[in-house]
Amino acid sequence: MDSKTIYQHVQERYGSIARAENPEYSGAIAKAFGYSKEELNSIPKDANLGLSCGNPLAIASLRQGEIVIDLGSGAGFDVFLAAKKVGPYGRAIGVDMNKDMLARAHENLAKSTEAENITFIEAHIASIPLADGIADCVISNCVINLVPEADRPAVFTEMARILKPNGRVAISDILARKTLPLSMKENATLYTGCIAGAGTTEDYRRFLEDAGFSDIMVVDTESDLNIYINTANLLQGRNENAAGCCGQSNKSVDSVKGGEGTGEGVASSCSEVGSKGQLCSDAAVSGATVLGEDNLGACSKANLLNQDHEIADIDLNEWVGSFKIFAVKL
């Protein structure tokens, strides 16, 4: 896929997720990657969309008064947590290219009682409209792998540009454990699910070194990435037919789309909310809203990974892993 096509797929899929509701799934995923119940309860509940693949704040060592920038900030999950760590004299800035994500982030900001030190800006993370040397720390959570390969070096160059001397990067991302076949790399569903675009540890080390970073650490956390699918399936096990709304069962998805299935039984778990939308039952995935036929499966990262018949049989851990990446600007 070319860069334009990749950006289009990412915009569409993550715009759908930004408009979805899925608190039980999102909370379970965040806890699986190291976020505490106390942390999740301390921020707007709609900031966590279940899209994490790690916890960059665990290695960021944020201090009071610092400026931290989150690349690909989504609905503001890590930004709200970072803002608490840097305190009222610090600043947390979220950067995201998706208008729906930013709209949700600003809605969350309006609900927050501690919003004075938070800002969200619209931009591609390969071209950030911020001054040189503004930040003490740059964080990112499962986003850089969504950037087209040709643009990826520019992301690391931008990190170095906006960081102060001795500033640091703390990243959680999905990287490849072995070479992905072309059939996987060209699968749009796997790309928007953060799998097909996974780079290698060698890539990230080279990008960081070329951008002027030292003390580079790229470590496989050995987290179970099948947690996305397994958690969603566990929740949806309460009502098997609800899978059609949220993309966890290929057969059910076909039924909703008018494909191989007949669509019988779907009405028992989904209620119409308009000619182009449906609402999953509360018993299925805590009321996940899916907007439009083309956005089936927009409830979570798991749904991004399970909209294709071939994907159901993939062991994600065989191909990719969750890595923590840390480096210091020279």
Side-chain angles (χ1 to χ4, degrees):
M1 292 183 288
D2 59 30
S3 294
K4 182 178 179 181
T5 301
I6 289 172
Y7 280 126
Q8 181 179 351
H9 281 301
V10 171
Q11 286 277 28
E12 290 174 353
R13 292 292 173 85
Y14 284 84
S16 300
I17 295 175
R19 301 188 297 270
E21 299 291 341
N22 196 10
E24 188 171 354
Y25 171 87
S26 300
I29 295 302
K31 290 175 184 176
F33 287 113
Y35 293 92
S36 68
K37 182 178 180 181
E38 291 72 26
E39 285 177 313
L40 297 179
N41 288 338
S42 71
I43 63 173
K45 64 180 181 64
D46 293 333
N48 175 25
L49 300 180
L51 299 172
S52 301
C53 64
N55 182 355
L57 296 175
I59 60 172
S61 300
L62 295 179
R63 296 180 285 271
Q64 291 281 309
E66 290 192 320
I67 295 176
V68 57
I69 298 174
D70 182 12
L71 302 188
S73 52
F77 182 33
D78 287 320
V79 174
F80 285 102
L81 290 172
K84 293 180 179 295
K85 293 181 179 293
V86 299
Y89 297 106
R91 189 177 173 196
I93 303 171
V95 180
D96 205 285
M97 71 174 186
N98 190 285
K99 293 182 183 297
D100 291 304
M101 283 291 183
L102 288 167
R104 186 154 183 170
H106 282 112
E107 289 173 4
N108 291 328
L109 191 59
K111 300 173 188 174
S112 176
T113 58
E114 303 173 277
E116 294 82 3
N117 63 341
I118 294 175
T119 305
F120 293 104
I121 62 174
E122 180 180 350
H124 286 257
I125 62 174
S127 180
I128 306 169
L130 291 173
D132 295 357
I134 190 177
D136 297 284
C137 185
V138 171
I139 63 173
S140 187
N141 196 341
C142 213
V143 171
I144 297 173
N145 60 60
L146 293 172
V147 176
E149 189 173 352
D151 295 346
R152 211 164 288 173
V155 175
F156 291 87
T157 300
E158 282 291 86
M159 289 181 191
R161 182 185 65 78
I162 62 177
L163 278 170
K164 300 173 182 178
N166 298 315
R168 57 206 185 275
V169 295
I171 301 167
S172 291
D173 212 352
I174 291 177
L175 302 183
R177 287 181 170 148
K178 60 182 182 181
T179 302
L180 302 179
L182 188 61
S183 59
M184 291 179 68
K185 286 187 174 183
E186 293 184 345
N187 188 306
T189 302
L190 280 177
Y191 204 103
T192 55
C194 297
I195 305 302
T200 66
T201 57
E202 292 80 10
D203 290 336
Y204 274 49
R205 287 184 180 278
R206 185 177 72 257
F207 294 150
L208 287 164
E209 289 173 355
D210 290 348
F213 288 94
S214 64
D215 299 328
I216 298 169
M217 176 186 73
V218 184
V219 179
D220 190 342
T221 66
E222 300 185 357
S223 299
D224 178 15
L225 293 187
N226 290 322
I227 188 71
Y228 301 121
I229 303 297
N230 294 339
T231 300
N233 286 342
L234 178 64
L235 293 174
Q236 293 191 30
R238 302 170 187 172
N239 187 330
E240 185 176 351
N241 286 329
C245 296
C246 298
Q248 295 310 304
S249 164
N250 290 323
K251 181 177 180 181
S252 296
V253 169
D254 284 333
S255 298
V256 176
K257 289 183 177 180
E260 296 174 2
T262 64
E264 295 179 13
V266 173
S268 66
S269 61
C270 301
S271 58
E272 295 292 337
V273 293
S275 61
K276 294 185 178 179
Q278 289 184 328
L279 180 67
C280 296
S281 67
D282 290 341
V285 200
S286 304
T289 303
V290 183
L291 301 176
E293 183 178 287
D294 292 337
N295 291 324
L296 285 168
C299 303
S300 60
K301 186 183 289 293
N303 307 100
L304 294 177
L305 293 170
N306 209 13
Q307 297 177 6
D308 189 295
H309 290 279
E310 300 174 0
I311 296 172
D313 297 325
I314 293 176
D315 176 6
L316 300 181
N317 298 317
E318 176 185 353
W319 298 96
V320 295
S322 170
F323 285 72
K324 55 185 178 182
I325 299 107
F326 182 87
V328 177
K329 178 182 175 180
L330 292 173

